[in-house]
Amino acid sequence: EEKGLYELDCSGLVGFILGNVAPEQLRAIPTNWYAYRPQAECFQQVFAEAPEEGGKDGWVRVVSLLDARPGDFIAWSYRGHSIWENTGHIMMVLETPTLEENSIARVRVMDSSSGKHADDSRGSGQNGVGTGTMWFTLDKSGAPVAIHWWKKGEARANPDISIGRVVDTE
């Protein structure tokens, strides 16, 4: 930190943020037995199980992506991965999502990744922390069901996707 050098993946970035602004909520996220800190799938599971109102352990679930606000987190987990594989991804919402045609929503996000999004702030050949634009396919309730990582219209795998919002624990 003293040198301004941070080497972390997506869940490490979110853990760093929460550790500084919402440590109680970070402590509510379990850790897989094979990891020393929560991974993306751990966040996704907590978000999926959180109530929509009132909060549990400092988290509420946001069902519709269109109800997400800056500071909320979108996480997904890949089904059937091994412990040596990527468990999923997590990112922070930077701007209110916008509905576009065909039940696709656009949202500006911040994450740590080697993959680039549209309008990505990471330069050529750079990875790590950055901002960019993503799209999500929504179901009838507005819940995200597919990911468009860097280009609208090119949906990736359909993982389990959940949105979480930090709330006071008192």
Side-chain angles (χ1 to χ4, degrees):
E1 283 185 55
E2 299 78 36
K3 294 181 180 182
L5 178 63
Y6 301 86
E7 294 184 15
L8 38 74
D9 62 5
C10 61
S11 56
L13 173 63
V14 171
F16 178 79
I17 292 168
L18 292 173
N20 282 284
V21 299
E24 288 182 55
Q25 287 82 350
L26 178 60
R27 283 191 292 276
I29 307 296
T31 301
N32 288 328
W33 65 268
Y34 53 84
Y36 62 93
R37 61 175 168 74
Q39 295 177 302
E41 72 174 348
C42 304
F43 286 96
Q44 185 275 322
Q45 291 167 356
V46 167
F47 300 167
E49 295 170 3
E52 291 179 50
E53 295 181 21
K56 178 181 181 293
D57 297 325
W59 291 100
V60 294
R61 177 170 40 112
V62 178
V63 175
S64 172
L65 180 63
L66 299 176
D67 292 333
R69 303 188 290 223
D72 289 348
F73 296 95
I74 303 170
W76 60 82
S77 60
Y78 297 123
R79 300 175 193 117
H81 67 83
S82 78
I83 64 172
W84 309 114
E85 294 176 318
N86 186 343
T87 70
H89 194 66
I90 184 166
M91 59 190 55
M92 179 185 281
V93 174
L94 293 180
E95 297 175 3
T96 303
T98 303
L99 182 64
E100 295 187 348
E101 75 279 353
N102 301 323
S103 299
I104 295 178
R106 179 183 74 243
V107 62
R108 190 98 177 128
V109 298
M110 177 179 71
D111 64 0
S112 183
S113 175
S114 59
K116 304 263 192 283
H117 305 297
D119 304 316
D120 203 285
S121 66
R122 291 165 276 231
S124 179
Q126 291 182 325
N127 60 27
V129 178
T131 61
T133 300
M134 288 186 65
W135 291 264
F136 292 86
T137 301
L138 309 179
D139 68 11
K140 291 181 183 187
S141 70
V145 294
I147 301 157
H148 304 254
W149 186 265
W150 68 280
K151 184 177 179 184
K152 181 172 61 172
E154 291 193 13
R156 289 178 115 188
N158 296 315
D160 296 320
I161 307 169
S162 300
I163 305 165
R165 177 175 296 147
V166 170
V167 294
D168 290 331
T169 56
E170 300 174 326

